[in-house]
Amino acid sequence: MAVLVIADHHDGLVRDTTNKTVTAAQAFGGDIDILVAGKGVDAAAKAAAGIAGVRKVLTADSDALGQGLAEAFEATIVPLAAGYDAVLIPSTSQGKNIAPRIAAKLDVSLISDIIEVVDAKTFVRPIYAGNALETVQTSEPKVIATVRPTVFKAAAEGGSAAIEKADAAGAPAHTRFVSEEMVKSDRPELGAAKIVVSGGRAMGSAEEFQRVIEPLADLLGAAVGASRAAVDAGYAPNDYQVGQTGKVVAPSLYIAVGISGAIQHLAGMKDSKVIVAINKDADAPIFQVADYGLVADYKTAIPELTEALKAAGK
Amino acid sequence: MKVLVPVKRVIDYNVKARVKPDQTGVDLANVKMSMNPFDEIGVEEAVRLKEKGAVEEIVVVSIGPAQAQETIRTALAMGADRGILIQTDADPEPLAVAKLLKAVIGEEAPGFVVMGKQAIDGDNNAVGQMLAALLDWPQATFASKIELSGKSAKVTREVDGGLQTLDVDLPAVITADLRLNEPRYASLPNIMKAKKKPIDVKAPADYGVDIAPRLKVLKVTEPAKRSAGIKVETASDLVMKLKNEAGVL
């Protein structure tokens, strides 16, 4: 039994989504290798080699991999997959982009977004926006799966795996990278943050969203999230969206401000440890999942909350 | 150029799915069904491209029970030209769906495929990518902007952390994200006209595709319920509770 984990990395750093996927891989009970594919991956490979319990780290380095092109990942990973019983990929936008392509090339059914490894052939995954959990058993010779990182603990550091080079696919014939526009932020990453402060449609404008939500997030050292309604209305950028079709988060503390709590939003945050809802509508569905609810207009509640936090030494 | 738009009949997105007591699945009896919201966005994009003159014909294909005809009619009422229903009461896995779509593409030879990024029932987010792999076509997933220019398409994609723009040669598979467009409502005259548009009814066997499941669903359960919380009166109460009771500050 051997499992290949595809690393999620950026700028020489391995994201903790990778460590969490390694934890999922440990439940298979076999050797674990990590593939670090990208452009200029030496630093990230070193970091990956430090994850405890990893047998070896493979590196694949090319421009096309650095640009995240799905065809290049397919051409790199499919030949490697021959040596593994399972390939696990963190369920990021890139993971979702490449995993089905690899599975289809291998003629294997994909298992998306697993939240539990029951055994090496049996997995639990959410369906219907997280309103049901499906336990599936695969009869495929190989497991190709994406792993929902938020539910697994991060594998510890302290390993010293060997690093080996693997063949890296070059530029695909029919896809060209044009440009990239990344949102710059000094705040913690939404998917990995311990505290998330999210704003909804009640903010009414992008200016109000920034005025209310961002200082509160900064005070708490939190990441900023948003409901789909707030994103669709242009109050917050797309990649702030928490929900079935955005990011799935599970921080220690999730503060929902002016968010009603539609099914689609709950799917992205209901596994948070503590949920706080601030909403002036006492009947908003968000209060059904909130540990602490404050029925109040955010316009008065947020300044008061800010004062109380400062008084409490935050 | 011809465009193929796959659509799926799913539980309406406003309905909260309920798990059957015997844990065999989600109860869909007497539940409102609709077109998968992402597929509506796919249809809308195809219709807009046709209105701009970049597309000549829109073929909609759905794989599902006889009632999936209604889903195809909805797409025809939005502006698609004709439909293909691959009728089956089984709920094929994404890989089988991708194989059926590949077979349809073999017959129809569209210039590209535009479809939803994921269905809100299985939440797999897989068919588009699988189809591209089986055809060896380029893929542009999670599209928020599509610009066709002759033999290629410039597609802006929603990725973690921002946006990425790719240029893909056609034919290609493009999957639609939420912000690609706002789907139109079908007008009554268009709904009437859609009734006259042709729908071909086929079976998976017509395409020689084996749709037998490779994943066995052992059970479907409800997620753990969160225990009921409390309402606090003031912001300072809230901070005290978070600090002393929950220990998260």
Side-chain angles (χ1 to χ4, degrees):
Chain A
M1 172 71 66
V3 183
L4 181 65
V5 168
I6 310 301
D8 175 22
H9 63 96
H10 180 69
D11 276 351
L13 298 170
V14 170
R15 292 201 175 96
D16 85 330
T17 44
T18 307
N19 298 56
K20 289 172 170 177
T21 306
V22 167
T23 300
Q26 284 164 353
F28 282 69
D31 293 318
I32 299 168
D33 295 349
I34 299 182
L35 172 70
V36 184
K39 177 71 192 160
V41 296
D42 290 351
K46 269 201 196 103
I51 299 174
V54 172
R55 181 176 63 173
K56 67 178 175 188
V57 172
L58 300 166
T59 60
D61 204 315
S62 74
D63 288 337
L65 290 167
Q67 293 162 344
L69 303 183
E71 294 91 323
F73 275 83
E74 175 210 307
T76 303
I77 296 169
V78 167
L80 287 176
Y84 293 91
D85 302 289
V87 179
L88 299 188
I89 306 173
S91 217
T92 58
S93 67
Q94 175 64 352
K96 292 175 189 174
N97 187 36
I98 63 174
R101 190 159 179 121
I102 293 160
K105 271 288 164 195
L106 295 165
D107 193 27
V108 165
S109 261
L110 173 76
I111 307 168
S112 310
D113 229 10
I114 58 177
I115 58 169
E116 188 189 334
V117 179
V118 179
D119 61 45
K121 292 281 174 193
T122 315
F123 310 93
V124 182
R125 56 179 300 268
I127 52 175
Y128 289 87
N131 284 304
L133 304 178
E134 178 182 69
T135 305
V136 292
Q137 189 175 50
T138 177
S139 56
E140 300 282 15
K142 221 180 266 302
V143 172
I144 311 292
T146 54
V147 174
R148 179 175 285 196
T150 54
V151 296
F152 293 94
K153 283 207 170 71
E157 302 291 326
S160 56
I163 299 175
E164 277 176 30
K165 258 197 166 54
D167 290 333
H174 296 290
T175 301
R176 289 159 302 276
F177 174 87
V178 178
S179 62
E180 206 168 53
E181 203 184 307
M182 291 298 162
V183 177
K184 294 234 183 322
S185 172
D186 297 330
R187 297 195 183 91
E189 226 175 314
L190 184 53
K194 292 209 159 43
I195 304 179
V196 173
V197 178
S198 272
R201 202 204 315 255
M203 303 298 113
S205 71
E207 295 70 36
E208 184 71 352
F209 190 96
Q210 280 157 19
R211 188 187 73 78
V212 175
I213 300 297
E214 302 199 346
L216 178 60
D218 291 341
L219 181 64
L220 290 164
V224 177
S227 70
R228 178 181 159 185
V231 172
D232 281 352
Y235 306 162
N238 299 347
D239 65 317
Y240 280 23
Q241 187 181 321
V242 172
Q244 182 188 22
T245 57
K247 288 218 175 58
V248 177
V249 301
S252 306
L253 175 59
Y254 187 89
I255 305 180
V257 183
I259 292 176
S260 65
I263 298 173
Q264 172 339 95
H265 186 73
L266 298 183
M269 47 63 83
K270 68 184 167 58
D271 294 325
S272 305
K273 189 167 160 247
V274 174
I275 298 173
V276 169
I278 300 172
N279 202 304
K280 64 179 175 186
D281 175 9
D283 296 325
I286 191 79
F287 287 118
Q288 290 163 20
V289 299
D291 299 280
Y292 301 104
L294 178 59
V295 181
D297 190 334
Y298 76 85
K299 283 184 181 143
T300 51
I302 298 302
E304 283 170 19
L305 181 60
T306 305
E307 283 311 306
L309 284 167
K310 282 181 179 156
K314 266 282 168 186
Chain B
M1 190 161 35
K2 188 196 283 188
V3 55
L4 190 82
V5 189
V7 298
K8 186 176 187 186
R9 177 180 184 263
V10 298
I11 190 167
D12 188 88
Y13 75 100
N14 280 314
V15 176
K16 188 173 186 293
R18 301 214 177 273
V19 173
K20 288 186 198 166
D22 66 359
Q23 300 194 338
T24 55
V26 164
D27 194 354
L28 295 177
N30 304 316
V31 166
K32 186 181 180 216
M33 305 292 278
S34 302
M35 190 191 301
N36 179 43
F38 292 99
D39 299 346
E40 282 188 338
I41 295 169
V43 173
E44 175 65 32
E45 195 65 17
V47 174
R48 287 186 191 191
L49 288 166
K50 192 181 173 192
E51 286 167 348
K52 279 190 207 154
V55 158
E56 279 120 44
E57 189 187 23
I58 303 169
V59 181
V60 174
V61 55
S62 192
I63 300 159
Q67 297 94 312
Q69 284 226 20
E70 296 159 21
T71 311
I72 295 174
R73 291 277 171 221
T74 305
L76 297 177
M78 286 172 74
D81 296 291
R82 61 187 171 87
I84 301 169
L85 170 64
I86 305 175
Q87 195 173 322
T88 168
D89 287 325
D91 184 17
E93 287 166 10
L95 185 59
V97 170
K99 286 179 179 179
L100 285 168
L101 293 176
K102 182 190 176 192
V104 172
I105 285 164
E107 289 182 352
E108 295 284 343
F112 66 101
V113 174
V114 59
M115 60 191 292
K117 74 164 177 178
Q118 84 189 58
I120 60 163
D121 51 359
D123 281 337
N124 282 296
N125 194 332
V127 174
Q129 295 89 315
M130 288 182 153
L131 178 61
L134 297 177
L135 292 161
D136 270 320
W137 284 7
Q139 70 186 43
T141 52
F142 324 144
S144 59
K145 193 174 174 196
I146 302 172
E147 290 171 88
L148 288 185
S149 52
K151 291 194 161 95
S152 73
K154 211 162 115 182
V155 181
T156 302
R157 309 177 51 234
E158 294 195 7
V159 297
D160 291 340
L163 300 170
Q164 182 196 53
T165 304
L166 298 179
D167 190 40
V168 293
D169 289 335
L170 302 183
V173 177
I174 303 171
T175 73
D177 214 319
L178 277 176
R179 277 160 285 274
L180 181 57
N181 60 50
E182 189 127 346
R184 70 193 63 193
Y185 290 101
S187 65
L188 188 60
N190 285 341
I191 292 171
M192 301 309 287
K193 268 188 238 162
K195 291 188 177 170
K196 297 206 180 79
K197 293 181 180 176
I199 298 180
D200 248 359
V201 180
K202 303 272 202 171
D206 295 341
Y207 298 99
V209 173
D210 173 16
I211 61 164
R214 299 178 183 193
L215 303 178
K216 188 174 165 196
V217 177
L218 300 181
K219 62 177 177 181
V220 175
T221 53
E222 272 190 48
K225 286 211 165 52
R226 293 187 74 96
S227 52
I230 55 160
K231 293 240 169 88
V232 294
E233 293 300 321
T234 66
S236 43
D237 278 359
L238 178 60
V239 172
M240 292 309 288
K241 298 263 192 217
L242 290 177
K243 203 168 176 174
N244 303 329
E245 200 173 278
V248 288
L249 281 183

